[in-house]
Amino acid sequence: MQGEPTRFDVGVAVVIAGLFGVLAFVLVGFEVFSVLLFVVPVGAPLFLGAAALGGAWLAVRGRRSARGFGAGMVVGWVLLAFWSSGLSIGVFP
């Protein structure tokens, strides 16, 4: 018989959603950024900025697992910004 989810169940769901948000935003965001950078240079930062705002909105207004996913998206956005800036100046191989 299924009852209400425990705090542990909710915590695991939030952590997994957060990790998935980081992974999805970094991988998909880097692909979108690199394609849009050559096709529509102005569209790349605008698209990623809109996606980061969407992630922040989910982190603030969503349900528990959606908050984890949104927080993961924001962390992924920061990682992507850091990594792509390092690539642009030649710090990371």
Side-chain angles (χ1 to χ4, degrees):
M1 181 174 349
Q2 295 289 332
E4 289 289 318
T6 63
R7 290 179 66 125
F8 178 75
D9 294 335
V10 171
V12 168
V14 169
V15 168
I16 289 174
L19 292 175
F20 184 70
V22 169
L23 182 68
F25 199 91
V26 168
L27 291 179
V28 174
F30 191 69
E31 184 70 26
V32 167
F33 182 74
S34 61
V35 169
L36 279 178
L37 192 62
F38 293 113
V39 176
V40 182
V42 176
L46 292 177
F47 179 77
L48 291 180
L53 287 175
W57 184 82
L58 277 177
V60 173
R61 304 284 291 171
R63 299 182 78 177
R64 290 182 197 150
S65 59
R67 285 183 183 179
F69 184 74
M73 284 179 65
V74 172
V75 169
W77 177 71
V78 170
L79 289 174
L80 180 64
F82 178 74
W83 191 40
S84 63
S85 68
L87 286 175
S88 66
I89 61 171
V91 173
F92 299 113

